[in-house]
Amino acid sequence: MFESEGPTLTPLKVAYFIVFFVISWLGYAGGPAIQIESQYKHVSWLVAIPVGLAMTWYFQRILVGRLYKAKSGAMLPLGIRASWVAGGIAAGILTMLLPFAVATIANRVIGTTYTASYLVTGKSIGRGKRTCYDLTMTKADDASDRFDVCVPKSEQDATRVGDKMQVTGRRSQYVNQMIRFRRIS
């Protein structure tokens, strides 16, 4: 049986991935489309920089001196440079997810539900890891309120530009989230 000479990274890896999972889950929109308000985006990224630096420093303090298993199989201590790099990467990932998680939580807690009419103003096909058959929906009385929604090919084919959609969503000052939509005629 292998006995460690000091603190290892295993408990920290487990704790990090639990936090990563929770933040990712909270940040999940739970609907077809979401719009983060532009004022919130600007403020959140300004706050994210010092938060990211503080998290990097915190992770670095935890990581320095911890033992990790090298490719050679030996247990080696994590140095200062490596702990800063690892802490920066870990904090960067969490910092990128955090604004979306905060906006989604605020939307669930203080957001109000709404139902509004939207018009289909465009159709497109996006290629990437998977093909996205996109419908662009614009609110009938506010052209700046738009959603791009990925739908199945059959639904995109059945929808024409100019069709009216009834959108049910949830809105707060941080995020506008589409929950579902249906065609009305």
Side-chain angles (χ1 to χ4, degrees):
M1 177 172 230
F2 177 75
E3 250 185 63
S4 176
E5 301 164 5
T8 65
L9 290 175
T10 305
L12 292 172
K13 287 179 190 176
V14 170
Y16 177 81
F17 284 111
I18 289 171
V19 169
F20 176 78
F21 175 77
V22 168
I23 288 177
S24 298
W25 179 71
L26 290 174
Y28 177 68
I34 126 173
Q35 300 171 338
I36 302 290
E37 298 298 327
S38 61
Q39 301 89 350
Y40 173 73
K41 273 193 237 179
H42 297 305
V43 171
S44 69
W45 289 115
L46 288 174
V47 171
I49 292 169
V51 167
L53 291 173
M55 283 187 355
T56 300
W57 173 79
Y58 179 73
F59 285 145
Q60 185 274 336
R61 299 292 295 166
I62 291 174
L63 291 171
V64 74
R66 296 279 178 163
L67 299 176
Y68 69 97
K69 191 170 187 173
K71 288 183 181 180
S72 65
M75 295 296 282
L76 301 174
L78 202 59
I80 290 179
R81 182 183 307 173
S83 65
W84 274 108
V85 170
I89 292 170
I93 293 169
L94 291 180
T95 303
M96 287 176 22
L97 294 173
L98 204 53
F100 300 106
V102 170
T104 304
I105 291 169
N107 198 27
R108 289 179 184 164
V109 172
I110 60 174
T112 58
T113 58
Y114 69 91
T115 301
S117 293
Y118 281 71
L119 295 173
V120 176
T121 56
K123 294 165 51 170
S124 62
I125 298 174
R127 306 241 187 247
K129 272 188 166 177
R130 64 184 187 110
T131 303
C132 178
Y133 298 96
D134 192 46
L135 292 177
T136 302
M137 293 185 218
T138 306
K139 193 169 182 184
D141 57 350
D142 182 9
S144 65
D145 190 356
R146 314 170 17 140
F147 283 109
D148 291 320
V149 183
C150 219
V151 296
K153 182 177 180 3
S154 59
E155 189 170 348
Q156 188 193 41
D157 291 342
T159 305
R160 295 185 319 258
V161 173
D163 281 355
K164 270 187 146 176
M165 299 285 190
Q166 181 181 19
V167 171
T168 303
R170 192 164 187 81
R171 183 185 307 254
S172 73
Q173 66 182 15
Y174 308 108
V175 65
N176 181 12
Q177 177 183 0
M178 177 189 290
I179 297 172
R180 66 184 152 275
F181 63 92
R182 66 181 179 89
R183 188 177 342 198
I184 54 175
S185 296

